[in-house]
Amino acid sequence: MSDIKKSSLEINQRNLIASSTNSTENSYNEPAVYYPNDNGFNNNSHEKKSRSESIASLSKKSIDQVRKSLQGDQSYNDTDLNDKQYSVHQIYGDLNSEEIELQRIATRRSILGEIEHKIADEVNNEELNEKELDDGVIEDQVLPVTQHGEDFIKIDPELITWNGTEDPEDPRNWSASLKIFLLGFVSLYALVAPMSSSILSPAMSEISVAFGITSEVVQAMVVSIQILAWAFGPLIIAPLSEYDNIGRKLVLDVSCWMSLFFNLGCAFSQNTAQMMVCRFIGGLFGCVPMNVCAGVISDLFDANLRNAALAGYSLVPLLGPVIAPLIAGFIVDHMQWRWCFYVLCMFNGAVAVAATLFFKETYAPTLLKRKAQRLRKNTGNTSLHTIYEITNASESTFGRLWLCIVRPVNLLLTHPMVIGLGSFMAFTYGFMYLLIVTFPQIFEKQYGFSKSITGLMYLPMGCGFILGVVFWTFMVGRVYKKLTIANGGVAKPEFRLPCLIACAVFIPVGLIWFGWSAQKELHWIMPGIGSAIFAFGLVCVFQTIQNYLIDMNVRFAASSVAAAALFRSLFGYTFPLFARKMYSALGYGWANTMCAFIGILLGVPFPIFCYLYGEKLRESYNRKFEIKQQRRDQKNLERLKRKNGDDGCMV
């Protein structure tokens, strides 16, 4: 190499290093990087595909498209995407490998500098735009990233993101028919676990005889142990769907298949221990869709349409504990109890097969990563990447998983909103399973119904769920919108609580109505009406509290919902264990009256307090969690800076 060329290269390197240093010191000053236009970089030479290359590429991509469709990828419209613009030559022109590497270092330092300022701004800014956060922040990422890194496109020419807000590859832009199709699969995924949890209830007397179970507590535990598993599944398995190399579909598919295998294990169990182990592990996997599917809906729908989609989806898990005992009652009357599991496995297997073949991946970071992998293969540029491949590299898989386990528990133990409102949801959920497990005892022993007719008595509760979803979806939305308009168009999470206060009347009324009509052995329709009233109010409890927990801090929404799920699953597990003893000691009337007073105590004072004074309390505790998260973000950012300094550009 001549002296002139060496001098030129040294000057270029010094300029690039100076550029990266300046961008780190002040990330708001535009870094000295190459800015792309529609045709690549200003100093690029323009490559053109030959006709034969285009035909071969199109044929190959058509085959890949079919394969990726079966794997859950959204098909790509290759005619609208010029892959060659991401080649190294198209991006960097005539720069040599050393200059390109220095350019990548400078680019990455600029991105980290921007993120560093963003972390500081999020904590210092007390009035964050909730809608912007709702539509832009991907939950539970290592570092805060909005709009999938679209803000960094001009800085980083090798960054892969959506091609604008109208990109057809973005799940938010998929057709309405495809979204409804996927929403149907989401509902089927989430129906398996509730059906599994309650299908044993009518058959428990036969199972007790077959396995020699004499303890009423053990009998109840065989039914409710699956709900205990629901407390841990969201903490251990569900967070895996937030990894860009895993995504929603793989977690949902594996969970559905594992649920099928352990339901088959229940069908062939020969003793109590085998049954309980299979039900617990099956519940551990089976509950995952009930938590992940809410994320799928968030992937597909924006804030304006999400409430309607969630309302339609939420009805299906609520109907599971109603449908399963109804079917099981007829099965036990006419066939062996093991057929309850055989029929459940037929449904579970049909869902698993159909969803594996036809359900699409919806998680944007996963889709973008697959897009980057495809472009790396097509262009030969191995340095193409997504923003998440940069930001998530600072923390280990175990570290992220541990955070997903610890943060919901931390919220449950320290955040007053999660404790207060979550306790009301948990008690209400416990009351529901308390009613479900006592139906056979009431209608078979007191009313003399067969198991088939006893199964039909779950229908009034199902009617209450359906009416509740229709009524409360409309009413909660209307009240929320009206209060937002009255507040000058500024929405607050507390605007969802007035309906919660109103529905607190239906819970105790339904419990008292059910309990005393069953104890006095009134006409069978009376306890049915009581269960319908209770179910009608329960829908509002779930809709308002879950929406409030999501709205109160968008970045920690998944953790807040997981904390509430942990709380209510523990109650759903424990309540059936003491149900028979409680009813034997107090009678159905007084026992349900006691539960009704607990419901009033939890459902009226604290929601009123939250509506009047909750904003200051919520913001105070949110700020504490945000400061902790900021410290964690800064540590992760320092790791990334050290990694960037040691390793150079990311490959």
Side-chain angles (χ1 to χ4, degrees):
M1 183 181 293
S2 65
D3 295 338
I4 297 174
K5 190 170 184 180
K6 286 182 180 180
S7 301
S8 176
L9 177 60
E10 290 174 358
I11 293 171
N12 286 336
Q13 289 176 340
R14 285 197 298 269
N15 291 337
L16 288 168
I17 294 173
S19 303
S20 65
T21 306
N22 293 335
S23 66
T24 306
E25 292 175 355
N26 185 5
S27 64
Y28 284 103
N29 294 329
E30 292 192 358
V33 297
Y34 295 92
Y35 291 93
N37 54 27
D38 294 338
N39 298 318
F41 280 74
N42 292 335
N43 61 342
N44 287 347
S45 62
H46 301 282
E47 287 192 352
K48 294 183 179 180
K49 290 183 176 180
S50 67
R51 184 178 182 85
S52 59
E53 286 177 338
S54 298
I55 295 174
S57 177
L58 182 61
S59 175
K60 185 177 181 181
K61 289 174 184 176
S62 298
I63 297 173
D64 287 343
Q65 187 174 356
V66 175
R67 177 181 58 80
K68 291 179 179 180
S69 178
L70 292 176
Q71 293 177 348
D73 283 338
Q74 176 70 2
S75 60
Y76 297 105
N77 187 354
D78 292 315
T79 59
D80 294 335
L81 180 63
N82 184 5
D83 291 354
K84 288 298 184 180
Q85 69 177 327
Y86 292 103
S87 66
V88 175
H89 181 69
Q90 188 76 7
I91 293 173
Y92 293 106
D94 297 327
L95 293 180
N96 60 37
S97 59
E98 294 180 357
E99 293 172 324
I100 291 173
E101 184 175 352
L102 288 173
Q103 180 63 63
R104 286 168 176 164
I105 293 173
T107 297
R108 197 171 178 197
R109 287 177 178 173
S110 298
I111 292 176
L112 296 181
E114 292 279 358
I115 294 176
E116 185 174 23
H117 282 274
K118 185 176 181 60
I119 292 171
D121 289 345
E122 283 188 352
V123 174
N124 295 331
N125 187 4
E126 298 181 357
E127 297 181 356
L128 293 174
N129 188 328
E130 292 184 4
K131 186 178 187 307
E132 179 182 346
L133 285 175
D134 182 51
D135 287 338
V137 173
I138 300 295
E139 299 167 10
D140 285 342
Q141 294 295 323
V142 174
L143 291 174
V145 175
T146 59
Q147 303 299 338
H148 312 293
E150 290 181 9
D151 297 340
F152 304 121
I153 291 177
K154 290 186 176 180
I155 298 176
D156 189 351
E158 294 177 313
L159 182 67
I160 304 302
T161 185
W162 301 130
N163 298 329
T165 57
E166 303 297 327
D167 191 340
E169 296 179 23
D170 186 348
R172 293 279 180 91
N173 297 326
W174 292 353
S175 66
S177 59
L178 178 58
K179 290 182 180 180
I180 294 173
F181 177 76
L182 297 178
L183 186 61
F185 274 109
V186 163
S187 300
L188 290 175
Y189 272 126
L191 181 59
V192 173
M195 289 185 64
S196 303
S197 70
S198 58
I199 202 166
L200 274 194
S201 187
M204 203 56 232
S205 56
E206 283 74 10
I207 295 174
S208 299
V209 173
F211 292 165
I213 304 174
T214 57
S215 171
E216 292 183 349
V217 175
V218 175
Q219 291 177 11
M221 189 178 296
V222 172
V223 177
S224 65
I225 193 170
Q226 196 166 70
I227 308 171
L228 176 63
W230 293 3
F232 304 104
L235 303 180
I236 301 172
I237 303 174
L240 296 176
S241 69
E242 302 288 344
Y243 286 76
D244 56 0
N245 58 338
I246 297 177
R248 314 282 195 201
K249 177 176 169 60
L250 182 60
V251 171
L252 289 171
D253 287 345
V254 171
S255 298
C256 197
W257 282 105
M258 294 299 292
S259 178
L260 171 62
F261 296 149
F262 284 98
N263 280 331
L264 282 172
C266 292
F268 294 104
S269 295
Q270 301 300 315
N271 53 55
T272 307
Q274 291 177 5
M275 175 70 76
M276 293 182 71
V277 168
C278 288
R279 281 185 62 77
F280 181 83
I281 300 178
L284 199 65
F285 286 97
C287 72
V288 170
M290 293 192 295
N291 297 275
V292 175
C293 288
V296 173
I297 293 174
S298 179
D299 297 337
L300 295 173
F301 299 94
D302 59 21
N304 296 326
L305 300 175
R306 195 176 304 149
N307 287 338
L310 282 171
Y313 151 77
S314 64
L315 176 62
V316 176
L318 291 174
L319 290 178
V322 175
I323 297 172
L326 190 155
I327 298 173
F330 284 92
I331 292 174
V332 174
D333 260 354
H334 300 91
M335 306 178 77
Q336 191 187 22
W337 64 265
R338 294 185 187 274
W339 273 96
C340 293
F341 286 106
Y342 295 154
V343 172
L344 175 65
C345 289
M346 291 177 192
F347 173 73
N348 192 342
V351 173
V353 171
T356 300
L357 291 176
F358 300 112
F359 187 74
K360 307 286 186 181
E361 179 60 64
T362 64
Y363 192 46
T366 300
L367 294 175
L368 287 171
K369 183 167 186 176
R370 292 176 182 175
K371 179 180 177 181
Q373 290 171 343
R374 177 176 62 85
L375 290 171
R376 285 197 288 265
K377 182 178 180 181
N378 291 347
T379 63
N381 184 357
T382 58
S383 294
L384 297 176
H385 54 269
T386 68
I387 190 66
Y388 306 104
E389 291 175 297
I390 295 177
T391 58
N392 293 349
S394 63
E395 194 166 35
S396 66
T397 300
F398 177 79
R400 290 185 63 188
L401 187 60
W402 179 250
L403 177 64
C404 292
I405 295 174
V406 170
R407 190 159 60 190
V409 176
N410 193 12
L411 283 166
L412 181 60
L413 296 177
T414 60
H415 202 296
M417 300 304 177
V418 178
I419 295 171
L421 297 176
S423 62
F424 183 38
M425 179 189 284
F427 268 94
T428 305
Y429 194 72
F431 296 153
M432 181 185 74
Y433 273 93
L434 191 118
L435 294 182
I436 288 173
V437 298
T438 56
F439 268 43
Q441 184 179 359
I442 291 174
F443 292 106
E444 290 179 28
K445 294 183 178 180
Q446 294 195 198
Y447 287 86
F449 291 169
S450 66
K451 291 186 182 294
S452 302
I453 305 302
T454 299
L456 293 175
M457 292 309 301
Y458 289 90
L459 285 176
M461 182 177 286
C463 293
F465 286 140
I466 294 172
L467 292 174
V469 168
V470 174
F471 177 82
W472 290 116
T473 300
F474 168 77
M475 188 56 65
V476 171
R478 183 176 182 180
V479 171
Y480 184 79
K481 185 176 181 180
K482 185 176 181 180
L483 292 175
T484 301
I485 293 173
N487 194 43
V490 180
K492 295 181 180 180
E494 286 74 24
F495 293 164
R496 301 190 185 277
L497 297 180
C499 287
L500 177 64
I501 299 168
C503 86
V505 176
F506 292 96
I507 301 295
V509 168
L511 288 171
I512 293 172
W513 190 312
F514 180 87
W516 284 106
S517 59
Q519 181 163 328
K520 299 299 182 181
E521 297 186 23
L522 301 179
H523 190 274
W524 58 266
I525 195 63
M526 297 301 288
I529 293 174
S531 66
I533 294 173
F534 170 82
F536 181 81
L538 181 140
V539 172
C540 184
V541 173
F542 271 70
Q543 283 193 358
T544 54
I545 292 180
Q546 288 212 132
N547 282 326
Y548 181 88
L549 294 177
I550 291 171
D551 290 348
M552 75 174 189
N553 195 317
V554 176
R555 190 178 182 192
F556 301 144
S559 297
S560 300
V561 172
L566 169 63
F567 205 0
R568 70 172 183 263
S569 297
L570 292 175
F571 277 62
Y573 164 70
T574 56
F575 272 46
L577 301 183
F578 60 78
R580 292 188 179 181
K581 289 189 176 181
M582 181 182 71
Y583 284 129
S584 298
L586 300 176
Y588 294 109
W590 284 115
N592 276 26
T593 301
M594 179 187 69
C595 293
F597 281 122
I598 294 175
I600 293 173
L601 184 64
L602 294 172
V604 177
F606 189 74
I608 292 176
F609 172 81
C610 288
Y611 181 73
L612 297 176
Y613 309 106
E615 183 177 1
K616 292 183 179 179
L617 188 63
R618 166 175 56 85
E619 290 179 348
S620 174
Y621 277 84
N622 281 350
R623 188 167 183 80
K624 293 179 181 179
F625 279 95
E626 286 167 359
I627 291 174
K628 290 181 181 178
Q629 185 61 40
Q630 184 199 31
R631 293 171 181 168
R632 187 180 187 88
D633 290 343
Q634 289 173 339
K635 290 180 181 178
N636 288 327
L637 195 62
E638 289 300 320
R639 292 194 195 103
L640 276 177
K641 287 182 177 180
R642 290 195 297 269
K643 182 180 178 64
N644 187 51
D646 294 339
D647 299 342
C649 64
M650 182 187 65
V651 177

